[in-house]
């Protein structure tokens, strides 16, 4: 059944509330100072990495920022709008663009690239970000095996035996991240024959 106006409004309020919480987790990595979404790699109970969390959080915030209702002063308060846009800018500029091609695990590289690419649709003039996405996509494609699969790491000489039988879910995730990145940074398609399925869009500068 179609959502009622009341349901849609409740969903929108939940999205804004969740975005506030995500933004509240933004902080500097004590090692390099880049802005990540805590705890990232700093708490082993998180069972994740800073790059994965940053890519996922920036992607989610960019989805909100590009929503038709994300109009500062209208359906979004000035404070919330500035916080969301600022968090995207800070994480993408100080961490994702600098880190996205530095990891050995392809899945992590593409997870970060997915978020950074979506940030490029919020800030379409950030050329260094787009160039980082192009490099990350190339890295992911170059490390793909002839049968279409990816190894967990580029070199598996010392890897745990369990990584030899990665699931379809793992490989499908790599493909989904690649497609999502190309939707937002189509120039990362070095063959030049893939058309983006998403229209170019930009945000209203509220800085």
């Amino acid at each position: 059944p179609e959502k009622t106006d009341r349901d849609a409004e409740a969903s929108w309020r939940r999205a804004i509330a969740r975005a506030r919480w995500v933004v509240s987790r933004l902080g500097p990595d004590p090692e390099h100072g880049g802005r990540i979404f805590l705890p990232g790699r700093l708490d082993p109970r998180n069972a994740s990495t800073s790059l994965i969390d940053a890519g996922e959080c920036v992607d989610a915030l960019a989805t909100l920022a590009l929503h038709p209702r994300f109009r500062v002063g209208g359906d979004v308060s000035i404070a919330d709008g500035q916080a969301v846009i600022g968090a995207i800018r800070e994480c993408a500029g100080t961490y994702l663009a600098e880190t996205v091609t530095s990891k050995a695990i392809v899945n992590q590289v593409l997870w970060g690239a997915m978020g950074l690419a979506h940030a490029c649709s919020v800030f379409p003039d950030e050329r260094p970000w787009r160039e980082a996405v192009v490099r990350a996509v190339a890295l992911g494609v170059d490390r793909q095996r002839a049968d279409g699969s990816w190894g967990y790491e580029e070199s598996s000489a010392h890897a745990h035996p369990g990584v030899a039988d990665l699931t379809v879910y793992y490989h499908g995730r790599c493909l989904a991240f690649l497609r999502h990145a190309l939707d937002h940074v189509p120039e990362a398609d070095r063959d030049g024959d893939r058309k983006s399925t998403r229209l170019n869009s930009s945000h209203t500068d509220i800085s």
Side-chain angles (χ1 to χ4, degrees), residues 105-124:
I105 299 173
V106 174
N107 189 250
Q108 293 184 22
V109 169
L110 297 180
W111 214 318
M114 176 262 303
L116 183 59
H118 210 165
C120 289
S121 284
V122 181
F123 294 94

Side-chain angles (χ1 to χ4, degrees), residues 23-177:
V23 169
S24 76
R25 306 305 302 162
L26 187 70
D29 186 294
E31 181 177 314
H32 51 71
R35 306 283 282 185
I36 63 172
F37 290 91
L38 299 169
R41 64 177 178 79
L42 302 174
D43 187 341
R45 294 173 299 178
N46 190 37
S48 187
T49 71
S50 297
L51 184 56
I52 287 174
D53 289 354
E56 188 68 30
C57 289
V58 167
D59 180 61
L61 293 176
T63 298
L64 180 64
L66 294 169
H67 192 280
R69 289 191 64 176
F70 195 84
R71 297 189 304 274
V72 176
D75 289 341
V76 180
S77 71
I78 292 175
D80 285 335
Q82 289 179 335
V84 168
I85 295 297
I88 295 169
R89 179 193 290 118
E90 289 185 37
C91 183
T94 69
Y95 179 70
L96 282 176
E98 303 294 328
T99 310
V100 72
T101 58
S102 68
K103 304 300 181 182
I105 299 173
V106 174
N107 189 250
Q108 293 184 22
V109 169
L110 297 180
W111 214 318
M114 176 262 303
L116 183 59
H118 210 165
C120 289
S121 284
V122 181
F123 294 94
D125 295 329
E126 288 288 348
R127 178 56 50 186
W129 301 4
R130 304 184 77 88
E131 291 172 350
V133 173
V134 170
R135 293 194 301 272
V137 168
L139 183 152
V141 171
D142 288 343
R143 291 185 185 175
Q144 189 177 29
R145 296 166 173 167
D147 65 357
S149 67
W150 282 271
Y152 187 68
E153 295 185 73
E154 184 177 15
S155 173
S156 58
H158 304 290
H160 187 280
V163 305
D165 59 349
L166 297 175
T167 65
V168 172
Y169 175 66
Y170 178 90
H171 299 306
R173 197 162 54 188
C174 290
L175 289 171
F177 293 156

Side-chain angles (χ1 to χ4, degrees), residues 1-5 7-8:
E2 292 186 5
K3 282 190 174 182
T4 65
D5 290 344
D7 291 335

